[in-house]
Amino acid sequence: MKNQILISILVSLISIAATVSSSIAKSDRQSQNGTFQGTLIYPSDYLPAQKVCAKNVKTKKLFCVETKQQQTDFSLSVKAGTYEIFARECIKSYEKDLVCRDGYLPRRAYYNEHAKCGITAECAKKFKHNRRILVPIRSGQTIANIKPHDWYSN
């Protein structure tokens, strides 16, 4: 009888240890991500639903987040690396739906020198080539003020 109780206690302890280990591993994986935060604009009197993506320049892997119509900010979780960041507009459902239901147009608004400067005439003169900004990010880091605003850079 004592052996059965001891075995039962041992099995319970092993189960608890496995659960704790799994939770720690999950927490470690999440803390390996960095976060880009920023704002969205659109050259019109409305702000359509958009898809904001960060493309890892080394692996070409995309990390994306979808926004709703009239949503002016975003937060995007990515793995550590160096990224170019862009937004794409919803095809047409913005006319009647809060979220995009029919996909995104291929045109991209990049986070580039012109967007970082402020999308003004002075910025256009200063940054004629509209080079995309490559943004390095580390695990656990948050980088704010990302602006994929340049809808005219394509």
Side-chain angles (χ1 to χ4, degrees):
M1 181 74 159
K2 287 183 182 180
N3 286 343
Q4 289 176 335
I5 293 172
L6 288 175
I7 290 173
S8 177
I9 291 171
L10 185 59
V11 168
S12 294
L13 289 174
I14 290 171
S15 176
I16 290 169
T19 301
V20 169
S21 177
S22 175
S23 295
I24 290 170
K26 183 177 180 183
S27 176
D28 285 347
R29 284 193 302 272
Q30 289 173 343
S31 69
Q32 291 176 357
N33 288 344
T35 304
F36 291 123
Q37 295 176 338
T39 60
L40 299 170
I41 64 168
Y42 189 75
S44 179
D45 58 349
Y46 66 91
L47 183 60
Q50 296 181 36
K51 180 183 269 189
V52 181
C53 296
K55 181 179 177 182
N56 186 299
V57 297
K58 185 177 179 184
T59 66
K60 309 300 183 213
K61 182 170 180 171
L62 283 177
F63 294 87
C64 299
V65 64
E66 294 186 54
T67 66
K68 297 177 181 176
Q69 182 184 42
Q70 300 299 77
Q71 183 177 336
T72 59
D73 60 344
F74 70 90
S75 182
L76 176 59
S77 178
V78 299
K79 299 290 183 194
T82 301
Y83 293 87
E84 66 178 23
I85 302 162
F86 60 90
R88 293 173 55 201
E89 66 184 292
C90 185
I91 290 175
K92 189 171 178 163
S93 64
Y94 65 83
E95 294 176 350
K96 59 186 181 313
D97 295 324
L98 185 62
V99 295
C100 188
R101 302 207 186 284
D102 51 7
Y104 295 89
L105 292 171
R107 179 172 73 155
R108 296 175 175 187
Y110 280 95
Y111 176 54
N112 58 22
E113 293 170 332
H114 190 194
K116 185 176 181 179
C117 178
I119 308 287
T120 63
E122 293 80 25
C123 293
K125 290 177 189 174
K126 187 175 179 181
F127 299 108
K128 293 178 182 176
H129 300 293
N130 289 326
R131 285 178 282 170
R132 298 170 191 161
I133 296 173
L134 300 181
V135 186
I137 191 165
R138 296 182 314 272
S139 297
Q141 183 179 20
T142 296
I143 298 176
N145 209 25
I146 300 294
K147 300 175 182 179
H149 291 180
D150 193 351
W151 287 99
Y152 302 104
S153 63
N154 293 318

